[in-house]
Amino acid sequence: MIELQHITQRYRTPEGGEFLALDDVSLTIEAGEIFGIIGRSGAGKSTLVRCINFLNRPTEGTVVIDGKCLNTMSEAQLRAARRKIGMIFQHFNLLSSRTVFENAVFPLELAGVDAGAARAKVDALLDLVGLSEHRNKYPSQLSGGQKQRVGIARALANDPEVLLSDEATSALDPETTVATLELLKRINRELKLTIVMITHQMDVVKQVCDRVAVMNKGRVVEQGSVIEVFRHPQSETTKALIGNIMAQRLPPFMIEQVRAQLRAGGSGEPAHVLRLSFVGDEATRPVISEASRIYNINFNILLGQIDEVQGRGFGTLTVLTACSNDVFSGLLDYLRRHNVTVEEITDHVL
Ligand code: ADP
């Protein structure tokens, strides 16, 4: 649905120099998926999302949406193409002098749609986002979550194929964030809408995205299905973003103790710290107690957590064990056979 090829964006700095905000970004976003773009503030996410609808014309690179290349379009063609790309924003961008209904109908007025058809369309959309009874209120009379639902209704008015969400839940409290994300997921399913979700929160990605690209300093440093990225985070940026929502590191007071055990070994045998991750059924299987029985070894559980990623169980467990090299290689085989991802944590990584 969206093909970004070698997108580069340079901004002029006030000193007359250049700042490279996007550096050769290529991404393919499939029709019907919810695709997350995550990174810290300043990573280039907003710049990238504005390149998707050519609100920012990239310095280099091409954008193809639904088979049509935006680079070669006239202004009139671009305006028509943008109608098929809805957008929602962190601060909602509603018109304060217009009611809920008048805000949502605004894009249809601009497109010259006949008033009766526009009213029917907006009535259905207000129903979809659960705002029918608030239709005559002004934005100042609404909660943050309700304002964002007006933004969503307005973004859907022109029957877009793509919805760009630029930090749409960042100004909302946690409960309203969950409700808004559930609404977006429902819209994605029911309307078969492709959604691009810009965020700095891994929680948002974890809850709704199918695939994710991680950005740092204008580059995509990692991308893949959300569950795989959680299982095998490659870049430091990704590890830190996942670490914000799932504890990955031992608390400092434990690190010295564990280091001492690693150096001394347990009962004379080499000690190992393993970070295990489990998905789906494995997350609830007693793999550790089974392994303990089979190999006659003890596990000291240092850190553990279970969560839900894309609706599937996802668990991590950091354990310390001591055993002979033969038993250790058998144990690794056993864990991998049960689809547990195993990463050995060495002294200097602790
Ligand atoms: P993010 O959305 O990830 O926070 P942005 O795309 O907003 O990142 O910004 C990326 C970088 O580009 C930042 O360092 C920002 O200061 C810079 N930047 C963004 N817009 C402009 C602009 N219009 N002119 C100059 N620099 C800009």
Side-chain angles (χ1 to χ4, degrees):
M1 178 56 84
I2 303 173
E3 184 103 45
L4 306 176
Q5 293 159 348
H6 306 292
I7 302 288
T8 293
Q9 178 77 57
R10 293 192 188 87
Y11 288 124
R12 295 230 162 274
T13 61
E15 300 81 40
E18 273 188 347
F19 176 77
L20 189 59
L22 293 177
D23 184 6
D24 195 16
V25 171
S26 296
L27 286 177
T28 302
I29 299 173
E30 307 291 342
E33 74 176 337
I34 305 187
F35 191 94
I37 298 177
I38 189 167
R40 296 193 187 90
S41 175
K45 306 179 299 292
S46 296
T47 302
L48 185 64
V49 81
R50 289 203 308 270
C51 284
I52 295 179
N53 56 10
F54 259 46
L55 285 179
N56 258 11
R57 189 174 269 270
T59 320
E60 286 161 37
T62 50
V63 177
V64 180
I65 306 230
D66 201 15
K68 295 181 272 296
C69 180
L70 269 54
N71 297 62
T72 52
M73 286 186 182
S74 66
E75 271 310 312
Q77 287 170 321
L78 261 183
R79 270 197 300 278
R82 282 196 196 109
R83 262 182 231 134
K84 293 289 158 199
I85 309 173
M87 195 160 179
I88 53 176
F89 308 89
Q90 178 172 6
H91 297 296
F92 325 121
N93 297 12
L94 302 180
L95 296 167
S96 58
S97 60
R98 285 180 156 239
T99 62
V100 167
F101 176 85
E102 289 164 349
N103 266 286
V105 83
F106 194 47
L108 297 176
E109 286 175 15
L110 289 181
V113 174
D114 145 88
R119 168 172 281 272
K121 176 84 206 171
V122 171
D123 283 349
L125 285 172
L126 292 181
D127 197 33
L128 176 75
V129 301
L131 281 180
S132 297
E133 67 203 66
H134 300 291
R135 55 187 294 117
N136 295 321
K137 286 190 178 163
Y138 288 89
S140 62
Q141 298 170 293
L142 302 176
S143 69
Q146 289 168 334
K147 284 183 204 169
Q148 192 55 287
R149 283 189 273 150
V150 181
I152 293 170
R154 179 183 58 187
L156 298 179
N158 276 315
D159 291 322
E161 281 152 8
V162 173
L163 179 67
L164 305 178
S165 164
D166 191 358
E167 299 280 6
T169 56
S170 297
L172 304 176
D173 62 54
E175 286 77 25
T176 315
T177 294
V178 170
T180 308
L181 293 176
E182 275 169 7
L183 174 63
L184 289 174
K185 195 154 193 160
R186 183 152 68 85
I187 288 168
N188 158 259
R189 271 199 310 264
E190 288 178 9
L191 307 182
K192 311 229 180 313
L193 189 68
T194 308
I195 301 184
V196 182
M197 201 83 125
I198 300 288
T199 182
H200 67 278
Q201 298 167 302
M202 210 34 135
D203 254 337
V204 168
V205 170
K206 185 188 84 173
Q207 206 183 321
V208 290
C209 294
D210 300 306
R211 290 194 304 140
V212 63
V214 182
M215 291 192 68
N216 187 35
K217 295 187 182 154
R219 306 193 70 130
V220 171
V221 293
E222 186 162 354
Q223 61 171 307
S225 86
V226 171
I227 204 104
E228 280 311 311
V229 168
F230 268 75
R231 276 188 104 157
H232 307 281
Q234 303 291 321
S235 71
E236 284 311 313
T237 309
T238 315
K239 289 179 187 169
L241 288 164
I242 295 175
N244 288 343
I245 57 164
M246 294 183 88
Q248 305 283 305
R249 297 184 65 86
L250 297 177
F253 80 93
M254 282 176 73
I255 290 180
E256 273 319 306
Q257 290 175 12
V258 172
R259 280 197 173 131
Q261 278 175 281
L262 277 180
R263 280 192 290 266
S267 53
E269 285 173 324
H272 304 272
V273 176
L274 301 177
R275 179 177 179 267
L276 313 175
S277 55
F278 313 76
V279 179
D281 290 346
E282 271 71 33
T284 51
R285 259 180 77 109
V287 178
I288 288 297
S289 26
E290 279 174 17
S292 175
R293 260 198 313 276
I294 295 170
Y295 297 99
N296 194 25
I297 51 177
N298 291 321
F299 289 97
N300 182 3
I301 295 175
L302 306 174
L303 192 73
Q305 204 173 119
I306 186 155
D307 207 329
E308 195 176 293
V309 177
Q310 282 184 300
R312 296 169 76 194
F314 176 81
T316 59
L317 206 55
T318 304
V319 296
L320 176 81
T321 188
C323 52
S324 69
N325 291 339
D326 278 356
V327 169
F328 186 61
S329 59
L331 170 68
L332 293 186
D333 272 356
Y334 171 85
L335 292 170
R336 291 187 174 129
R337 267 203 316 280
H338 288 84
N339 296 322
V340 177
T341 305
V342 187
E343 185 192 352
E344 179 156 17
I345 303 180
T346 51
D347 193 341
H348 72 276
V349 181
L350 266 174

